[in-house]
């Protein structure tokens, strides 16, 4: 194994990083001594307040997919990363704050599949759990861990992902959601403060807005850039996943009240928008630095922001920033490992095999589920070459499966059947997977976007079907499944407020 320390880092930086990792382990160990039930382990005893929710929500959603994914898009295309990818998500957060959180808090749910089981029964709940499990695999975070290790140590990404990701696995297994939330609080401070310090220093060191404007083409400053319009629509539609996001639902159920969640989301939007803009600017600065010869010409878009920060910051601050990068990634990995572990045990094993499972059994098996999700996420992490492609795939799987039946369950007051819920979930999931397989098998690889495109000729006109376009087909098919199930199935009575999942 090659081991090449980045020349721009000092021993002080490594001391900071090691100290941070040890502190995360200490928090997990400390909380483990005070976690006595499954509800405390999985949803923190429903006692989270606004300050803790702000920290855990912001840090969970703004992990590696934003830090590297948004900067990757900005590096390649410019400000479309903010206008076309990041900005639409704020609308969905506002909808979630005012239209969704209150309805979910009326019931004693513990997980997102609980909602489906409540309205449509076990088949729909189990299918939703499968989609949630795939979505919650910590692939994005482990991918980022590998990139960080590659940049600072020169080791293979999969080795770095195993080392840094292993720390997250340990403290999550120890302390559950409270360990996740408390470590997220530390990670929230690190990721926000370090990026806020880094951006002005980078601009001062390599050049400001005039430098960027001089080095980059005019298309970089157009809101939609040079990205195909339908791809921009896909990026915007990934925001739909917020409305069915399992980690978000878990925070809603863990909150002390609906108002705590609403306030946390509204404050979080302000923080997210500033963070997005800094990351977008960082990606563009990195691209301008490559064009100016400051960074190496072969710098990968996924690594560009990280490399320009390491180049520009002095010793000590570089270590703090890298600890912040690790924080952003760890806060994503720990949250989704916990959700995925719960999907396997609480949402599939419990209703199908052991409805009367004890708290001790659920807690113990959920830890095995966490371990399984980490291992599968590790395998998936290095399958996709571009992080955005991985994010779109996972978002498509989740949204295609559960968006229609959940929105219908919460907001549609008309006829609903168990068959409608199951067919909607199953049709959406199957069609999304089938589309990806079809395009990968029959399509042609596009090197510029590191994706696959299937060209179809209809009536003398060629239509390009990108692998990212799956949601354009799977989401309408999920709706069709719901409508067909509503016509063919037997109507179910709406559940009373305050109840939990269906027996």
């Amino acid at each position: 194994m090659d081991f090449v320390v980045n020349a721009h880092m000092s021993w002080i930086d490594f001391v900071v990083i090691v100290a941070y990792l040890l502190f995360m382990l200490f928090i997990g160990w400390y909380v483990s001594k005070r976690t006595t039930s499954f509800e405390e382990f999985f949803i923190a005893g429903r006692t989270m307040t606004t300050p803790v929710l702000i920290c855990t929500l912001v840090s969970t959603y703004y992990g590696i997919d934003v830090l590297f994914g948004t900067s990757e898009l900005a590096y390649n295309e410019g400000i479309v990363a903010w206008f076309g990818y990041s900005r639409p998500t704020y609308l969905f957060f506002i909808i979630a704050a005012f239209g969704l959180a209150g309805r979910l808090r009326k019931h004693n749910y513990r997980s997102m599949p609980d909602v489906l089981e409540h309205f449509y029964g076990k088949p729909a709940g189990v299918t939703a759990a499968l989609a949630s499990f795939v979505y919650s695999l910590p692939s994005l975070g482990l991918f980022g861990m590998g990139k960080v290790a590659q940049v600072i140590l020169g080791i293979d990404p999969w080795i770095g992902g195993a080392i840094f990701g292993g720390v997250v696995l340990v403290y999550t297994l120890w302390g559950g959601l409270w360990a996740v939330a408390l470590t997220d609080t530390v990670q929230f401070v690190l990721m926000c403060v370090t990026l806020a310090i880094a951006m002005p220093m980078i601009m001062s060191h390599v050049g400001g807005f005039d430098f960027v404007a001089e080095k980059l083409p005019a298309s970089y400053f157009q809101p939609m850039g040079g990205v195909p319009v339908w791809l921009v629509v896909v990026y915007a539609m990934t925001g739909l996943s917020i409305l069915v996001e399992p980690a978000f639902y878990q925070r809603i159920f863990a909150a002390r009240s609906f108002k705590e969640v609403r306030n946390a989301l509204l404050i979080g939007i302000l923080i997210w928008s500033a963070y997005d803009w800094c990351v977008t600017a960082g990606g563009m600065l990195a691209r301008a630095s490559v064009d100016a010869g400051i960074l190496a010409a072969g710098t990968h878009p996924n690594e560009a922001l990280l490399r320009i920060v390491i180049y520009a910051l002095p010793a000590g601050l570089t270590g703090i920033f890298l600890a912040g990068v690790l924080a952003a990634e760890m806060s994503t990995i720990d949250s989704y490992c916990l959700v995925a572990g719960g999907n396997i045990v609480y949402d599939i094993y419990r209703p199908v095999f052991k409805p009367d499972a004890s708290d001790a059994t659920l807690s113990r098996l959920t830890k095995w589920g966490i371990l399984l999700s980490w291992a599968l996420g590790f395998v998936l992490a290095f399958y996709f070459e571009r992080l955005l492609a991985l994010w779109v795939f996972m978002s498509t799987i989740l949204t295609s499966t559960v968006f229609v039946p959940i929105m219908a369950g919460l907001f549609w007051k008309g006829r609903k059947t168990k068959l409608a819920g199951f067919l909607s979930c199953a049709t959406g999931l199957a069609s999304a997977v089938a589309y990806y397989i079809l395009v990968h098998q029959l399509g042609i690889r596009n090197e510029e976007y590191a994706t696959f495109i299937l060209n179809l000729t209809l009536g003398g006109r060629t239509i390009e079907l990108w692998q990212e376009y799956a949601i354009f087909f799977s989401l309408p098919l999920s709706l069709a499944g719901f409508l067909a199930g509503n016509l063919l199935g037997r109507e179910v009575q709406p559940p009373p407020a305050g109840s939990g999942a269906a027996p």
Side-chain angles (χ1 to χ4, degrees):
M1 177 182 68
D2 294 329
F3 185 86
V4 182
V5 176
N6 192 291
H8 293 285
M9 295 183 61
S10 76
W11 65 269
I12 299 174
D13 299 318
F14 290 100
V15 169
V16 171
I17 293 171
V18 171
Y20 163 74
L21 294 174
L22 291 175
F23 185 54
M24 294 299 98
L25 288 173
F26 170 76
I27 291 177
W29 171 82
Y30 179 81
V31 173
S32 70
K33 303 300 181 181
R34 289 157 175 76
T35 303
T36 58
S37 69
F38 178 74
E39 187 151 296
E40 287 181 349
F41 182 82
F42 196 59
I43 53 173
R46 304 186 192 271
T47 58
M48 284 191 176
T49 57
T50 298
V52 176
L53 286 167
I54 292 172
C55 294
T56 188
L57 283 169
V58 171
S59 59
T60 294
Y61 284 122
Y62 275 44
I64 188 57
D65 60 309
V66 174
L67 190 64
F68 286 173
T70 302
S71 65
E72 172 194 291
L73 185 57
Y75 179 94
N76 287 323
E77 305 293 344
I79 62 174
V80 65
W82 193 79
F83 284 95
Y85 175 51
S86 298
R87 191 173 62 167
T89 62
Y90 311 145
L91 172 62
F92 294 114
F93 279 122
I94 292 173
I95 294 172
F98 289 101
L100 189 63
R103 290 177 181 266
L104 291 171
R105 282 294 301 183
K106 292 179 180 179
H107 302 277
N108 295 324
Y109 303 127
R110 286 178 170 176
S111 68
M112 182 273 289
D114 244 4
V115 182
L116 274 299
E117 184 182 343
H118 193 184
F119 285 107
Y120 307 107
K122 292 179 182 179
V126 170
T127 308
L130 290 173
S132 177
F133 177 77
V134 172
Y135 175 86
S136 300
L137 293 176
S139 305
L140 293 170
L142 291 171
F143 179 96
M145 293 287 189
K147 285 296 182 182
V148 173
Q150 184 179 41
V151 170
I152 66 177
L153 300 176
I155 62 178
D156 290 337
W158 69 270
I159 297 175
I163 295 172
F164 290 139
V167 173
V168 186
L169 178 63
V170 170
Y171 74 67
T172 304
L173 288 171
W174 272 344
L177 186 57
W178 265 123
V180 169
L182 293 179
T183 52
D184 281 357
T185 301
V186 177
Q187 291 155 356
F188 163 79
V189 174
L190 274 175
M191 63 187 276
C192 292
V193 171
T194 54
L195 188 64
I197 293 173
M199 290 310 303
M201 296 189 69
I202 295 172
M203 296 183 71
S204 174
H205 197 78
V206 303
F209 292 113
D210 291 339
F211 168 76
V212 175
E214 177 186 345
K215 295 297 179 182
L216 299 182
S219 63
Y220 270 63
F221 302 93
Q222 298 171 2
M224 294 297 105
V227 180
V229 63
W230 289 112
L231 189 58
V232 174
V233 174
V234 169
Y235 289 156
M237 287 184 67
T238 61
L240 285 172
S241 63
I242 292 168
L243 302 180
V244 291
E245 224 278 354
F248 172 49
Y249 277 40
Q250 186 186 41
R251 270 48 173 195
I252 292 176
F253 307 144
R256 191 168 59 183
S257 69
F258 150 67
K259 292 182 179 179
E260 306 278 359
V261 179
R262 181 199 61 197
N263 295 341
L265 281 172
L266 295 179
I267 295 171
I269 289 172
L270 301 177
I271 300 171
W272 283 318
S273 60
Y275 193 88
D276 282 327
W277 185 249
C278 285
V279 171
T280 300
M284 295 174 69
L285 276 165
R287 178 57 184 266
S289 299
V290 170
D291 292 347
I294 297 173
L295 292 182
T299 299
H300 195 283
N302 284 334
E303 305 169 4
L305 177 60
L306 199 57
R307 290 192 181 277
I308 193 62
V309 169
I310 293 175
Y311 173 82
L313 293 186
L317 280 181
T318 297
I320 294 174
F321 178 82
L322 289 173
V325 171
L326 291 174
E329 294 156 9
M330 286 181 165
S331 63
T332 301
I333 294 173
D334 55 18
S335 295
Y336 288 114
C337 276
L338 183 60
V339 170
N343 290 149
I344 291 293
V345 177
Y346 179 76
D347 298 309
I348 297 178
Y349 168 78
R350 175 194 57 83
V352 175
F353 301 105
K354 193 73 172 177
D356 58 347
S358 67
D359 262 17
T361 298
L362 291 175
S363 296
R364 175 173 53 82
L365 293 180
T366 297
K367 293 179 180 181
W368 283 105
I370 290 170
L371 185 60
L372 174 64
S373 71
W374 189 97
L376 292 179
F378 185 84
V379 173
L380 183 62
F382 303 103
Y383 178 78
F384 290 82
E385 292 184 31
R386 290 187 64 177
L387 188 129
L388 274 179
L390 175 57
W391 160 242
V392 171
F393 168 73
M394 298 175 74
S395 175
T396 297
I397 291 296
L398 179 72
T399 306
S400 301
T401 306
V402 303
F403 180 79
V404 170
I406 284 184
M407 293 302 107
L410 293 174
F411 296 100
W412 171 248
K413 295 183 179 180
R415 173 183 169 88
K416 288 188 286 286
T417 72
K418 290 186 177 182
L419 183 61
F422 172 69
L423 284 183
S424 182
C425 289
T427 304
L429 177 60
S431 60
V433 172
Y435 180 92
Y436 264 88
I437 293 174
L438 180 68
V439 174
H440 268 257
Q441 293 298 316
L442 303 180
I444 300 173
R445 179 174 171 76
N446 180 287
E447 296 296 337
E448 180 182 359
Y449 289 95
T451 189
F452 285 85
I453 302 175
L454 175 61
N455 294 311
L456 292 181
T457 301
L458 299 174
R461 181 182 178 185
T462 300
I463 301 174
E464 290 187 344
L465 297 179
W466 293 44
Q467 68 175 9
E468 287 82 3
Y469 293 176
I471 196 168
F472 294 144
F473 302 93
S474 57
L475 197 58
L477 286 172
S478 177
L479 176 59
F482 182 86
L483 295 175
N486 243 1
L487 289 174
L488 301 174
R490 183 177 301 174
E491 185 173 5
V492 293
Q493 294 299 316
S499 56

